Amino acid sequence: MAQRDNVISPGIELGQRIKILRKTAGLTQQQVADALGVSRPAIAFWETGREGSVRKHIPKLAALLHVEPEVFLTGYVHEDIDLIVSPDERDMVSLYRMLDASRKVSAQKWMERQARTAQLEN
């Protein structure tokens, strides 16, 4: 699994979830590709953590695999945690929750890039 300073890429986690859910459903990459109207290499691309066009297919993928779209992002349908946050962190969480599943993936990737850039600058 690709890690950098103990941070796992959201794209890699998403890819792992897609692969696990696909296999649990007993589907091949080709069957998923056919159902979504994409190529089999596109599915392989997503499952290896490269986002590609997966964002726009999350709702259809969720329906095909009989899960909520949120499962692709969190691994859970809903997750409650106790956490003390600053007002700006609370605002970020509120904004994040307004996003649909595909935009959450983009937001996670953007935050990961920002954190990586900040680490390199320090």
Side-chain angles (χ1 to χ4, degrees):
M1 190 173 339
Q3 292 190 30
R4 184 179 194 143
D5 298 326
N6 296 324
V7 175
I8 300 172
S9 165
I12 290 173
E13 286 184 2
L14 174 61
Q16 290 171 344
R17 288 184 185 120
I18 292 170
K19 186 175 184 176
I20 288 167
L21 290 167
R22 174 184 60 77
K23 287 185 172 191
T24 300
L27 298 173
T28 65
Q29 287 181 342
Q30 188 62 55
Q31 289 169 317
V32 173
D34 291 344
L36 298 179
V38 299
S39 67
R40 192 216 48 82
I43 304 301
F45 192 77
W46 301 345
E47 288 184 359
T48 56
R50 295 169 285 177
E51 184 180 347
S53 63
V54 69
R55 292 177 298 139
K56 70 180 182 181
H57 294 285
I58 286 178
K60 289 181 194 174
L61 193 55
L64 175 66
L65 300 175
H66 306 290
V67 297
E68 294 293 321
E70 197 68 27
V71 171
F72 292 105
L73 302 172
T74 65
Y76 302 98
V77 173
H78 184 75
E79 181 179 12
D80 289 324
I81 57 172
D82 291 324
L83 183 65
I84 298 171
V85 297
S86 66
D88 62 321
E89 290 168 328
R90 185 183 60 244
D91 292 343
M92 291 294 291
V93 170
S94 294
L95 291 168
Y96 178 82
R97 288 181 175 169
M98 292 173 164
L99 301 173
D100 63 27
S102 65
R103 293 183 190 273
K104 285 180 180 178
V105 171
S106 293
Q108 289 172 352
K109 285 187 154 298
W110 183 84
M111 291 293 289
E112 179 186 74
R113 285 191 304 272
Q114 295 302 310
R116 196 174 293 138
T117 299
Q119 285 177 339
L120 294 173
E121 290 174 352
N122 290 331

